[in-house]
Amino acid sequence: MKTRAITGFFFLIVMIGSLLLGPQVFLGFYLVLTLLCLHEFYGLIIKSGITVNRSAGFVNAVAIFVLFGLMNMEDQPVYHKLLFLLTLTLASVFVQELYKISPTPFTNIGFTFLGLIFTVMPFTFFHALAYAQGVYNFHFPLAFLIMLWSNDTGAYLTGRAFGRTKLFERHSPKKTWEGFIGGVAIAAGVAYIISLYYPELDWKQWVSIAIIIGVIGTTGDLIESMFKRSINVKDSGGLLPGHGGVLDRFDGLLFAAPIVYTYLHFVLNA
């Protein structure tokens, strides 16, 4: 528990620092996190006996995250033109498979693309949260993380204290309905406090985001658990002592970030 707490504290400081140090550091840090998650995802797939196209996957990951990130930072016509390069990098996944000897080439291709969808695209949406109003504003991604952590912590504490009814025992035996409800309630309470300091949205909208994060984030956690159980592994990696892998720490973000960004887009442009 001590190792887990120390690791979590320092990782928390680094993540918040990357937001406060400006758009360039924010882009670079979350690009690294994206690649680490993709690395763990591909590693788990390889353990299951599928040969993904790692090199093509990483090239596409960098291209997708950086190009959309630059468009968020400064919407220049040249970046829109560079998007057409993705047709070549994405096609390379198929071409690379031509030179391999594999009985299941399209399985390899499919899981290579699944890695991009499962890890890269959600972080692209998370990065875009900082530009939801057109200019860099760390309030949205920081508030997202605070509500996500509040939900996780609240679910753990209330589940441990009051948990009786299993939420989805087949995929996550420790999760309970009491913990789930407690996590969402605590995240909603934190969202109200956030609304007092971040006036970009009113309290109802911040609370709505907290509920989205609680519900969709928990679903993402369950889906990642289902994925790991399907290939008989406990943790996605060992990079974070006491926490497992990076993918384990961001499973909630991977599913919640695109939904929250969509919600913000319609709210801010209504």
Side-chain angles (χ1 to χ4, degrees), residues 3 23 45 52 59 66 73 78 80 84 125 139 147 169 189 220 228 259 270:
T3 301
I45 294 299
V52 293
V59 168
V66 171
M73 291 170 65
V78 64
H80 291 268
F84 288 100
F125 277 102
H139 287 182
M147 287 183 281
E169 190 171 8
K228 289 188 295 184
I259 308 299

Side-chain angles (χ1 to χ4, degrees), residues 17 31 89-90 108 110 125 218 225 229 242 249 263:
L31 172 60
T89 57
L90 291 171
N108 301 336
F125 277 102
T218 301
S225 296
R229 285 178 178 276
R249 294 304 93 208
Y263 174 82

Side-chain angles (χ1 to χ4, degrees), residues 71-270:
M71 288 173 62
N72 288 326
M73 291 170 65
E74 190 175 1
D75 194 10
Q76 296 289 341
V78 64
Y79 299 142
H80 291 268
K81 294 178 181 178
L82 288 174
L83 280 177
F84 288 100
L85 290 176
L86 291 178
T87 59
L88 298 176
T89 57
L90 291 171
S92 70
V93 178
F94 293 89
V95 174
Q96 190 180 54
E97 199 64 33
L98 290 173
Y99 294 92
K100 291 183 176 181
I101 301 175
S102 172
T104 56
F106 277 89
T107 299
N108 301 336
I109 291 169
F111 277 98
T112 302
F113 278 110
L114 181 60
L116 299 176
I117 296 169
F118 191 76
T119 63
V120 180
M121 295 307 297
F123 272 107
T124 302
F125 277 102
F126 177 75
H127 178 265
L129 287 176
Y131 300 89
Q133 293 180 309
V135 295
Y136 182 72
N137 182 356
F138 68 84
H139 287 182
F140 288 118
L142 179 57
F144 179 99
L145 291 175
I146 291 172
M147 287 183 281
L148 181 66
W149 294 329
S150 299
N151 176 75
D152 290 345
T153 303
Y156 172 77
L157 293 177
T158 55
R160 188 171 183 178
F162 307 107
R164 298 292 183 273
T165 311
K166 299 298 182 182
L167 176 63
F168 217 122
E169 190 171 8
R170 182 157 55 94
H171 296 303
S172 187
K174 294 182 179 180
K175 282 186 170 51
T176 62
W177 277 103
E178 292 83 0
F180 168 69
I181 294 170
V184 173
I186 289 174
V190 170
Y192 178 77
I193 297 173
I194 289 173
S195 72
L196 302 178
Y197 297 93
Y198 289 176
E200 290 86 353
L201 303 173
D202 64 34
W203 73 268
K204 294 179 182 178
Q205 293 167 333
W206 281 119
V207 169
S208 295
I209 291 174
I211 294 172
I212 292 172
I213 290 173
V215 174
I216 305 300
T218 301
T219 303
D221 193 339
L222 290 169
I223 290 173
E224 204 228 348
S225 296
M226 177 178 67
F227 168 60
K228 289 188 295 184
R229 285 178 178 276
S230 71
I231 54 177
N232 297 314
V233 298
K234 180 181 179 182
D235 296 321
S236 65
L239 184 63
L240 302 175
H243 290 264
V246 180
L247 198 58
D248 293 322
R249 294 304 93 208
F250 290 99
D251 47 13
L253 180 150
L254 297 179
F255 283 79
I259 308 299
V260 170
Y261 178 83
T262 302
Y263 174 82
L264 275 177
H265 174 78
F266 285 106
V267 166
L268 295 175
N269 293 282

